[in-house]
Amino acid sequence: MATRKNSTDDLLAPVTLAVGQEDLLLDRAVQQVVAAARAADADTDVRDLSSEQLQPGTLAELTSPSLFAERKVLVVRNAQDLSADTIKDVKAYVDAPVEDISLVLLHAGGAKGKGLLDAARKAGAREVACPKTTKPAERLTFVRGEFRALGRSATPEACQALVDAIGSDLRELASAVSQLVADVEGTIDEAVVGRYYTGRAEASSFNVADRAVEGRAAEALEALRWSLSTGVAPVLITSALAQGVRAIGKLSSARGGRPADLARELGMPPWKIDRVRQQMRGWTPDGVAMALRAIAEADAGVKGGGDDPEYALERAVVTVARAARLRR
């Protein structure tokens, strides 16, 4: 029996616990274990099971001794949905796992099935965090990590431009990074990202927001219409507008100083401090307040409070652009 505690670096640990709801990260956790097992034994048998397929007694059958002594990887998806009797089987197994078998439990986290999580952790399971990326800063960190993992460098502006262009889908972001790394030599900068993803960038909610907070109403409306025609969710546009205006309000009320000092104070990257400084030239406190009210009204409109979400967005964009010019 393999009873040792599992190192987080040991891909062949008897039990790996992948916790979270980000599909790409969950799949990668599985792929890493499978790759390590097949590197150790090319004939590794991989069984990928749903929670419905793992019934009481199934785990015992799959982990029973084999005449061929082959290595196995058993993947159990949505482990939080296992039946109570099957959870008992799994809890018993993680306390005394079988040599040359890697059990990978994919669990969404949360309260459901928490007993299984606790048991696996207590038994020393190797754990991989696979949290859903809900914030732009998390997606930016992901993109930077992808470039680093591939041994390439990209400027902060390039990473941000890629996030703005692609959006929240990690699979698409990872694919975009891979394409840039394969096609482009040297450091990847914002201009390169723009050449590859111009259409996506123009459809970005953040491009709408940037043009609006710069007071460029006509360009902002054009970007808005293109975004909506390509399927960008209206709620993402109001969110981007709100982020842009709030950044201007935060920076305008902050103490003066170097970008690095302001970045720490306001929780922004230094390069964004420079961008917001350029955008805030025509803004006043009254303009910030006026813009935020308009965005709040548009947000209510696109979430069911109005009859015409597109009109609500257009009105908000025009108001934000007008607010950006109160000082001019």
Side-chain angles (χ1 to χ4, degrees):
M1 295 294 183
T3 58
R4 61 186 170 83
K5 294 291 184 180
N6 297 344
S7 166
T8 56
D9 297 326
D10 183 7
L11 294 173
L12 294 180
V15 181
T16 290
L17 190 61
V19 184
Q21 299 180 42
E22 186 57 65
D23 290 340
L24 173 65
L25 301 183
L26 291 168
D27 285 345
R28 281 186 175 179
V30 173
Q31 291 164 7
Q32 288 171 350
V33 173
V34 171
R38 285 183 169 157
D41 181 353
D43 295 324
T44 294
D45 180 23
V46 178
R47 304 291 183 92
D48 198 323
L49 307 169
S50 67
S51 56
E52 293 84 7
Q53 291 174 307
L54 195 67
Q55 295 295 317
T58 303
L59 186 59
E61 293 176 10
L62 292 173
T63 58
S64 60
S66 167
L67 292 175
F68 302 102
E70 62 185 357
R71 181 177 291 277
K72 292 182 181 179
V73 176
L74 304 179
V75 181
V76 180
R77 298 184 182 273
N78 298 314
Q80 72 279 356
D81 295 329
L82 292 171
S83 68
D85 288 338
T86 303
I87 286 177
K88 290 179 183 178
D89 289 351
V90 178
K91 284 182 177 180
Y93 179 82
V94 299
D95 280 334
V98 177
E99 196 73 40
D100 291 334
I101 293 180
S102 297
L103 175 65
V104 185
L105 300 173
L106 276 55
H107 195 294
K112 188 176 183 181
K114 188 173 182 298
L116 179 56
L117 275 181
D118 293 341
R121 286 167 174 161
K122 184 177 179 181
R126 168 180 174 264
E127 185 165 347
V128 182
C130 305
K132 197 76 174 175
T133 54
T134 58
K135 299 178 181 178
E138 294 171 343
R139 293 190 283 275
L140 187 59
T141 299
F142 173 80
V143 167
R144 289 170 176 163
E146 290 293 289
F147 279 117
R148 282 195 301 271
L150 294 173
R152 295 293 298 277
S153 61
T155 66
E157 293 83 0
C159 293
Q160 183 65 57
L162 197 59
V163 171
D164 291 348
I166 301 299
S168 60
D169 191 309
L170 291 197
R171 291 187 189 279
E172 291 193 27
L173 285 170
S175 176
V177 170
S178 296
Q179 180 181 16
L180 289 170
V181 166
D183 293 354
V184 180
E185 296 183 357
T187 299
I188 295 164
D189 59 20
E190 188 175 15
V192 169
V193 174
R195 286 199 302 271
Y196 271 73
Y197 298 102
T198 297
R200 296 291 294 272
E202 288 177 354
S204 162
S205 56
F206 289 99
N207 194 52
V208 177
D210 284 342
R211 301 295 81 77
V213 300
E214 291 163 3
R216 296 153 65 179
E219 293 178 37
L221 286 172
E222 181 180 359
L224 171 65
R225 288 162 189 150
W226 180 258
S227 296
L228 293 174
S229 71
T230 55
V232 175
V235 68
L236 294 180
I237 297 173
T238 57
S239 175
L241 286 168
Q243 288 182 47
V245 174
R246 288 188 188 119
I248 288 169
K250 288 168 66 175
L251 188 56
S252 63
S253 61
R255 301 186 302 274
R258 297 177 303 170
D261 296 331
L262 288 170
R264 284 193 294 271
E265 179 183 343
L266 301 178
M268 300 179 189
W271 65 264
K272 189 170 183 179
I273 297 291
D274 293 333
R275 176 182 288 183
V276 176
R277 272 179 169 165
Q278 294 174 359
Q279 293 174 332
M280 64 185 283
R281 291 171 183 165
W283 285 86
T284 66
D286 287 342
V288 171
M290 179 175 77
L292 288 176
R293 284 196 299 272
I295 294 167
E297 291 174 3
D299 192 55
V302 302
K303 291 178 178 176
D307 296 328
D308 192 341
E310 185 172 337
Y311 174 71
L313 285 171
E314 289 180 353
R315 186 170 57 184
V317 165
V318 170
T319 302
V320 171
R322 186 167 67 245
R325 293 179 171 271
L326 288 184
R327 186 174 283 164
R328 298 176 189 178

